[in-house]
Amino acid sequence: MSLVDLKSLSLKEMEAAFQEEGLPRYRALQTYRWLHRGVTSFEEMSDLPKALRNKLAEKYYISVAIIEKKFVSDYDGTIKYLFRLPDGEFVESVLMHYHHGYSICISTQVGCRMGCTFCATGRSGFSRNLTPSEMLSQIQAAQADNGVRISNIVLMGMGEPLDNYENVLAFLALVSSEDGLNIGMRHISLSTCGLADRIYQLAQKKLQLTLSVSLHAPNDSIRGRTMPVNRKWNIEELLSACRYYARQTNRRISFEYAMIDGVNDSDACAEELARRLSGMLCHVNLIPVNHVEGTAYQKSSQKRLQRFCQILERKGITATVRRTLGSDINASCGQLRRNHVQEGGTNVEDIR
Ligand code: SAH
Ligand code: SF4
């Protein structure tokens, strides 16, 4: 009989499971709290009777993320982790220190099925979904490694969160639970390449998380070439879902736009983008694309980024140019295994 992943259970599920096994209900809360404090073994649950700990170990396992590699940016102290999961798969996370606290970018899948042509994760294919506990473990491992408490989470690492919808929602419930890390939805961002059907579904939950949409093109012709998902839901369908999301939640949508030299960065592109986004509660983040080996894509010049930003602003669309790559979570996540860390200069090509 294979062991059950205890840390992926909600408190309610744990209570039900304990009850079914004839264990007192309050033991579930005790166990839940230990798991969310980041223990990695049943042994550490010191206020549970030994017999109970043994019984739990017979049926359940505690999923942990082990630090395989770690890179610290000389530039801003950003830490990039490569974690090993219980089955030997690897995922990346990035821990950043801002003036308001610690923020972590976590992965939601091993690889990704979406195949965006500019993305290192997309180019290396898909292996599997992460469980809720594996998403949580990335946060816990980074906290333990640094002796800090993380206050913000971004789901922008490897994988497409809305392609692992059920597990991501279960993770969100765990991480925001009062007896868990208790990180409020307003401190969580979820980035998607645009699975419109899931955006509608998520909107109905009316969670207060920030939805970040990877747009990266102003029209279907360009987006269809760089992001295969656009062939399923085109820009108009995606933007309708975004408008619906903004209306339902009253939250500003954040659009990610990686500027690729000669592909999506012309004045005409900026004008077209401004027209499409006009009237929407949103913000555009302009990021110079991070060059991925095996692709011809190069980043746009700073001058181009500034000019593109100005055009958007002049047309009434609020936009920001991200300053650097090294401290930029979007540019960093998902590319650790195949690329150099841009800021800090650490060579991580030999990471696996
Ligand atoms: N799958 C989700 C979240 C993970 S990717 C999504 O696509 O949104 C996180 C972000 O990194 C996305 O905005 C993605 O478009 C961006 N990204 C991927 N490859 C990049 C690259 N080479 N340069 C800059 N940003 C990139
Ligand atoms: Fe997947 Fe996001 Fe990379 Fe596209 S950009 S391949 S959706 S991880």
Side-chain angles (χ1 to χ4, degrees), residues 52-325:
L52 175 57
R53 280 183 264 158
N54 289 344
K55 192 167 172 174
L56 290 178
E58 276 165 24
K59 172 140 195 221
Y60 300 100
Y61 74 96
I62 302 175
S63 174
V64 291
I66 309 283
I67 301 172
E68 178 78 9
K69 301 247 173 171
K70 172 178 166 181
F71 300 91
V72 184
S73 159
D74 302 333
Y75 171 71
D76 54 14
T78 294
I79 305 179
K80 300 166 205 291
Y81 289 101
L82 186 68
F83 288 119
R84 183 159 34 89
L85 302 175
D87 66 349
E89 290 281 8
F90 294 97
V91 288
E92 304 168 18
S93 312
V94 179
L95 179 70
M96 292 146 292
H97 190 196
Y98 292 116
H99 59 273
H100 60 264
Y102 284 89
S103 179
I104 191 166
C105 172
I106 62 164
S107 295
T108 55
Q109 296 180 317
V110 183
C112 183
R113 296 199 289 184
M114 300 298 136
C116 304
T117 55
F118 48 79
C119 171
T121 305
R123 295 178 70 82
S124 16
F126 175 76
S127 178
R128 67 169 175 86
N129 281 328
L130 293 195
T131 61
S133 67
E134 286 171 332
M135 295 177 223
L136 199 58
S137 294
Q138 298 170 58
I139 305 170
Q140 294 175 324
Q143 288 199 148
D145 185 46
N146 296 280
V148 298
R149 192 160 150 52
I150 291 168
S151 50
N152 289 271
I153 303 167
V154 292
L155 277 64
M156 276 192 193
M158 295 166 66
E160 167 49 48
L162 297 186
D163 187 38
N164 184 14
Y165 188 79
E166 298 302 334
N167 285 352
V168 163
L169 280 187
F171 158 75
L172 291 173
L174 290 177
V175 80
S176 61
S177 71
E178 259 180 47
D179 295 294
L181 288 176
N182 199 9
I183 298 176
M185 290 291 177
R186 285 181 176 271
H187 297 274
I188 303 177
S189 304
L190 183 154
S191 178
T192 177
C193 66
L195 305 186
D197 58 344
R198 295 298 195 186
I199 294 176
Y200 280 111
Q201 228 179 320
L202 188 65
Q204 280 153 19
K205 303 251 173 231
K206 297 195 196 256
L207 303 177
Q208 286 301 294
L209 53 80
T210 300
L211 185 67
S212 214
V213 174
S214 302
L215 199 54
H216 304 321
N219 57 51
D220 291 326
S221 138
I222 300 175
R223 201 167 191 266
R225 264 180 281 142
T226 52
M227 302 182 72
V229 66
N230 201 74
R231 295 175 214 151
K232 183 137 192 207
W233 291 284
N234 66 26
I235 295 193
E236 217 25 73
E237 289 164 327
L238 172 56
L239 293 182
S240 299
C242 292
R243 283 188 209 101
Y244 179 77
Y245 187 92
R247 270 200 313 275
Q248 286 292 306
T249 61
N250 253 324
R251 303 280 293 167
R252 187 178 294 267
I253 307 260
S254 181
F255 287 106
E256 305 300 316
Y257 197 101
M259 299 270 290
I260 312 174
D261 184 38
V263 173
N264 63 359
D265 65 346
S266 66
D267 286 0
C269 284
E271 276 156 22
E272 194 174 1
L273 182 64
R275 270 200 305 280
R276 297 205 95 141
L277 298 184
S278 118
M280 197 187 304
L281 184 60
C282 70
H283 183 91
V284 177
N285 283 315
L286 300 169
I287 316 135
V289 79
N290 203 13
H291 175 70
V292 169
E293 231 176 275
T295 72
Y297 301 134
Q298 298 295 342
K299 63 181 171 206
S300 311
S301 68
Q302 271 303 316
K303 213 171 124 206
R304 197 71 316 263
L305 271 109
Q306 295 298 344
R307 166 100 183 131
F308 199 97
C309 189
Q310 270 168 10
I311 295 175
L312 291 180
E313 295 252 308
R314 243 184 260 140
K315 307 252 172 195
I317 308 292
T318 63
T320 320
V321 173
R322 291 282 180 83
R323 266 179 310 121
T324 61
L325 288 181

